Amino acid sequence: MSKPAILTADDDPMVSAAITRDLRQRYGADYRVIGATSGQEALDVLDRLALREQPVALIVTDQRMPGMSGIELLERARPQAAGAKQLLLTAYADTEAAIRAINDVGPDHYLLKPWDPPQERLYPVVDDLLDDWRHANPDLRSQVRVVGVRWSEEAHLTKHFLVRNHVPYRWIDVEQDEEGERLRAAAKAGPADLPLVLLPDGPTLKAPSSTELATALGLRTRAEQPLYDLCIVGGGPAGLASAVYAASEG
């Protein structure tokens, strides 16, 4: 399973770098720490993480940002990272506004800036939030996901290819499952791009051919030796029987 993500958002590049650095020093071994410098950039990151089915453990955001406040970001982030813990950073002058917003939106915690020293002011709060998240998410397993339309011939061929190659996958129907429509929108995929094949920590494949899918999965797609004793073309009953007999004869 890939590392869960910690996402930070602050429009000040120096502050963004500082919070990302402090979190990476403490949690980088177990979490992937990603920094964003605007609310929209943070939402774009969440889209990419959702397509890779990478879990988001914590979102840390500044409250006062141009274009999108921290509270607005946290509210809009929930569909993409429903189980993520939320930590709001706010300056002393914005405390009353942040508290009012907290009562309306309900993030898990807020913290006054600056957070120095992090060992005393930042890490104890984050430790508690991550502990709660881990207890709520004890067993997250990533696998291939296929997003498409149930009666699509292309989707059927893709699923059949995965089954024949013993690749576990999860089917998500865009017409019957809200998650399917959400993932389709995150991938900016139209009808001609379906099915989508979403690989853990890999690319988003749009209506892939069998060769493209095999390459992305790391399957062999061509001969790797200059000379073979036997070559069998075709995977039907005769081809499979020939392969079995050839293997038994060495």
Side-chain angles (χ1 to χ4, degrees), residues 172-199:
I172 304 174
D173 195 319
V174 295
E175 295 180 333
Q176 298 183 6
D177 194 321
E178 291 183 1
E179 182 185 5
E181 177 57 28
R182 177 173 60 79
L183 292 170
R184 185 204 62 77
K188 298 178 175 60
D193 297 320
L194 298 178
L196 299 175
V197 179
L198 310 179
L199 307 178

Side-chain angles (χ1 to χ4, degrees), residues 81-154:
K85 295 298 179 180
Q86 298 182 340
L87 174 60
L88 185 70
L89 300 178
T90 181
Y92 182 79
D94 298 327
T95 302
E96 290 187 8
I99 291 174
R100 288 196 300 271
I102 286 169
N103 291 332
D104 293 336
V105 179
D108 297 286
H109 206 284
Y110 83 94
L111 194 64
L112 291 176
K113 298 193 297 183
W115 58 86
D116 291 329
Q119 291 80 3
E120 298 178 10
R121 302 193 58 199
L122 177 65
Y123 296 154
V125 172
V126 174
D127 284 346
D128 287 344
L129 292 175
L130 292 178
D131 283 344
D132 290 343
W133 183 84
R134 282 193 297 268
H135 288 146
N137 300 271
D139 187 26
L140 291 171
R141 300 181 184 275
S142 295
Q143 62 181 357
V144 174
R145 291 171 294 166
V146 180
V147 181
V149 179
R150 179 181 181 185
W151 303 113
S152 162
E153 180 181 1
E154 291 78 9

